[in-house]
Amino acid sequence: MLYWFLKWVALGPWLKLVFRPRLEGAENVPAEGPAILASNHLSYADWLFMPLRLPRRVTFVAKAEYFTGKGVKGWLQRGFFGGSGQVPIDRTSGSAAEGALSAAKRILDEGHLFGIYPEGTRSHDGRLYRGKTGVARLALESGAPVIPVAVIGTDVVAPPGKKFGRFHQPLVKFGKPLDFSRYEGMENDRYILRSITDEIMYEIMRLSGQEYVDVYAGQAKEDARAARKAEAAADGSGDGVDQPRKPGEPGEQKKAS
């Protein structure tokens, strides 16, 4: 109930009025039944804008810590994250990844839409990074189609490392559903999982127009941080943690032809 109140009354109308987000390819999202919305991840605002113009609820997973806080702050936090379409990761299986997969399968089994960021974390420099294979495993184990999504411009509205940027009109693009039923029963084959994941990331890249970097986003962030520290140490300007990124760093790059 709170989800719809936030979407249609308390939050959604204001986001639409102020930012006027654009939408393309909404017809590719099924009117009913399960589907996986696999999106790029530029900003913490992505999960607000991506489902904003869809008539269906989109559920994401979030850290359990958002749901276990105490006092007034904890109560407000639980209410907001729970009401805005996020569910806590079940860590009883022993890892966050398995917990997220378990929660996602439950959502899809109930016939709902599930949103996922295959990169695993936000891009720190606007480029698209290598996807993790959890999205492929989820597609094979659930049998749900994967809809590639590109969210464009949210890193202008809310840049990495900042709460607010500047006014900008985001664009959300939904691609055609991808069907991986031909790989049924092969969810334990890591080569198949990698192939499926790369296919999904290629479609996201095609929709978003981002430059693709064939390393994981988390590793790229660590490499960039280490490079800044080394540079700062060399010129005696400090530890470099808060220094701006240098153009072109980090990692091996790969563009689509």
Side-chain angles (χ1 to χ4, degrees):
M1 188 67 179
L2 181 57
Y3 177 88
W4 300 112
F5 175 74
L6 291 171
K7 183 169 184 175
W8 300 119
V9 179
L11 184 60
W14 293 103
L15 291 174
K16 293 177 185 178
L17 178 65
V18 173
F19 296 103
R20 296 175 290 112
R22 293 174 292 151
L23 180 68
E24 293 182 10
E27 68 277 4
N28 292 318
V29 180
E32 58 183 20
I36 301 165
L37 305 183
S39 175
N40 62 335
H41 200 10
L42 295 173
S43 166
Y44 72 82
D46 292 339
W47 66 273
L48 291 173
F49 286 104
M50 191 258 268
L52 187 60
R53 300 276 299 276
L54 294 177
R56 297 184 62 186
R57 172 173 176 152
V58 180
T59 302
F60 299 85
V61 294
K63 293 187 296 185
E65 288 82 355
Y66 291 147
F67 297 83
T68 57
K70 297 182 179 180
V72 175
K73 181 180 178 181
W75 179 79
L76 290 172
Q77 199 172 58
R78 284 194 301 275
F80 179 78
F81 282 101
S84 58
Q86 302 197 48
V87 296
I89 294 175
D90 176 10
R91 297 175 183 265
T92 58
S93 62
S95 75
E98 288 298 324
L101 184 64
S102 176
K105 287 169 60 180
R106 184 176 68 252
I107 292 162
L108 292 168
D109 287 344
E110 294 172 354
H112 302 306
L113 298 177
F114 178 74
I116 188 171
Y117 301 111
E119 291 170 278
T121 187
R122 286 173 289 174
S123 171
H124 68 290
D125 59 6
R127 297 186 290 180
L128 184 70
Y129 286 87
R130 195 179 200 216
K132 296 186 176 182
T133 58
V135 63
R137 183 180 297 277
L138 181 60
L140 294 186
E141 293 188 2
S142 68
V146 178
I147 299 171
V149 184
V151 182
I152 302 168
T154 52
D155 54 337
V156 178
V157 175
K162 298 182 180 180
K163 290 185 177 180
F164 303 105
R166 58 185 173 85
F167 290 109
H168 185 75
Q169 188 176 28
L171 170 62
V172 182
K173 300 170 71 174
F174 294 94
K176 294 187 179 299
L178 303 175
D179 177 16
F180 298 107
S181 59
R182 62 190 183 277
Y183 297 119
E184 183 179 0
M186 304 178 73
E187 58 271 12
N188 293 319
D189 187 321
R190 63 189 181 96
Y191 297 105
I192 293 296
L193 295 179
R194 173 46 54 194
S195 176
I196 291 173
T197 304
D198 288 346
E199 182 176 341
I200 293 169
M201 299 309 295
Y202 176 83
E203 291 301 318
I204 294 174
M205 179 184 68
R206 190 178 61 81
L207 287 169
S208 69
Q210 290 171 276
E211 179 183 349
Y212 178 72
V213 184
D214 196 22
V215 296
Y216 291 115
Q219 183 59 54
K221 287 182 180 180
E222 290 300 320
D223 291 345
R225 188 176 295 113
R228 289 196 296 271
K229 284 184 176 181
E231 182 178 341
D235 62 20
S237 62
D239 62 14
V241 172
D242 295 321
Q243 297 298 314
R245 176 186 59 84
K246 292 291 188 292
E249 69 178 29
E252 175 187 354
Q253 301 178 17
K254 181 168 65 178
K255 291 185 178 180
S257 57

